[in-house]
Amino acid sequence: MLTVEQLSANYGPVRALDSVSLSVAPGEITAVLGANGAGKTTLLRTISGLVRPSGGRVTLAGRDLTGVSTEDLPGLGLAHVPEGRGVLAELTVEENLRLGALGARGRASTTELRRVYDLFPVLADRKNGLAHVLSGGERQMLVIGRALLSRPKVLLLDEPSLGLAPRIVAQIFELLRGLVLDGLAVVLVEQNARSALSIADHGVVLNLGQVVVRRDAAALVSDDGLRHAYLGF
Ligand code: ATP
């Protein structure tokens, strides 16, 4: 569903991404792991066209995204949930959710909204409240729900677990596992390697902008040497 080939990106003289390749099939989660500054966020931002690549290619469901502008990507099936859980604080929860559909293809139907509320019942309880009163975990649910309303084929998620209590992280990750059953392809960038690999099909480790390890998630977890060298658990 998503293919990244030899993707490179620079910030001035800094080579943040160096010939990175990966692919994600429908119904699969690929965890992208690595230390601070390894290039994980840059990878997602380059896939989304927010950072201009200095080389390489991204294809989505067979379509070359070179030259496609970032604002057109949700309509093609690419949703990007950046780090930081950004919401429009003065809009209600439901208004924030509706923006996900508007940015991609028009109005959200009642059925689609209901589907998101079924996934995240806490959002249904708070749908008429302003988004700024939500807790961190609720905000994370809101930004994922908003992305789902664009009907993505590929979901890019940047550090969804950051700063959340382990119980909330477990809840959100379990839900992600459920989402891919319908064929969604997910790229999950995480510092929390242990949790990410517990739901991922594949793991890719970046170091200094390069892929240094690429394994099935289960094989990566069971390799003590790799875990200790790159993943810190
Ligand atoms: P973290 O987990 O801390 O978010 P990361 O793996 O996501 O790290 P990136 O944020 O992609 O890493 O950063 C990769 C490299 O690019 C780092 O050396 C970083 O300092 C540099 N970098 C990131 N953003 C910029 C920028 N806007 N301008 C210049 N250099 C940047």
Side-chain angles (χ1 to χ4, degrees):
M1 190 57 85
L2 180 78
T3 308
V4 172
E5 293 167 85
Q6 307 272 302
L7 201 62
S8 297
N10 287 40
Y11 297 109
V14 177
R15 183 92 160 155
L17 214 58
D18 192 358
S19 290
V20 168
S21 298
L22 59 85
S23 58
V24 192
E28 286 191 347
I29 300 175
T30 290
V32 177
L33 312 165
N36 281 331
K40 305 181 298 297
T41 293
T42 303
L43 171 64
L44 297 193
R45 289 175 60 79
T46 311
I47 292 172
S48 289
L50 294 164
V51 171
R52 187 187 272 277
S54 51
R57 202 163 73 117
V58 179
T59 50
L60 172 69
R63 176 176 175 152
D64 188 343
L65 298 185
T66 307
V68 177
S69 68
T70 300
E71 66 260 34
D72 290 332
L73 291 175
L76 295 176
L78 185 78
H80 183 166
V81 178
E83 195 176 326
R85 315 194 245 280
V87 296
L88 290 169
E90 299 306 322
L91 296 185
T92 66
V93 166
E94 181 153 314
E95 286 165 342
N96 270 278
L97 284 175
R98 286 182 180 281
L99 287 174
L102 267 189
R105 57 192 171 80
R107 291 173 65 86
S109 70
T110 313
T111 316
E112 288 172 316
L113 280 168
R114 197 176 317 119
R115 203 172 303 137
V116 170
Y117 289 140
D118 286 346
L119 286 170
F120 304 108
V122 68
L123 297 183
D125 297 342
R126 301 186 187 285
K127 67 180 178 182
N128 296 319
L130 295 181
H132 76 83
V133 302
L134 297 182
S135 68
E138 290 163 354
R139 270 189 191 222
Q140 189 60 54
M141 294 174 196
L142 176 55
V143 294
I144 293 174
R146 185 176 59 192
L148 293 177
L149 278 163
S150 71
R151 283 201 217 139
K153 298 178 179 129
V154 173
L155 179 63
L156 310 178
L157 274 177
D158 199 348
E159 302 265 10
S161 80
L162 201 68
L164 299 183
R167 184 176 54 83
I168 306 289
V169 174
Q171 194 184 338
I172 290 174
F173 278 22
E174 194 182 317
L175 212 132
L176 285 179
R177 196 60 246 171
L179 284 179
V180 296
L181 294 176
D182 290 337
L184 183 68
V186 175
V187 180
L188 173 63
V189 157
E190 265 298 338
Q191 295 253 356
N192 185 344
R194 187 197 296 264
S195 295
L197 288 172
S198 73
I199 58 155
D201 299 282
H202 308 286
V204 168
V205 182
L206 294 184
N207 187 37
L208 298 175
Q210 295 183 328
V211 175
V212 287
V213 177
R214 184 195 312 276
R215 288 281 164 83
D216 283 351
L220 192 43
V221 170
S222 60
D223 188 321
D224 291 347
L226 285 179
R227 268 195 296 120
H228 294 151
Y230 293 112
L231 304 177
F233 75 92

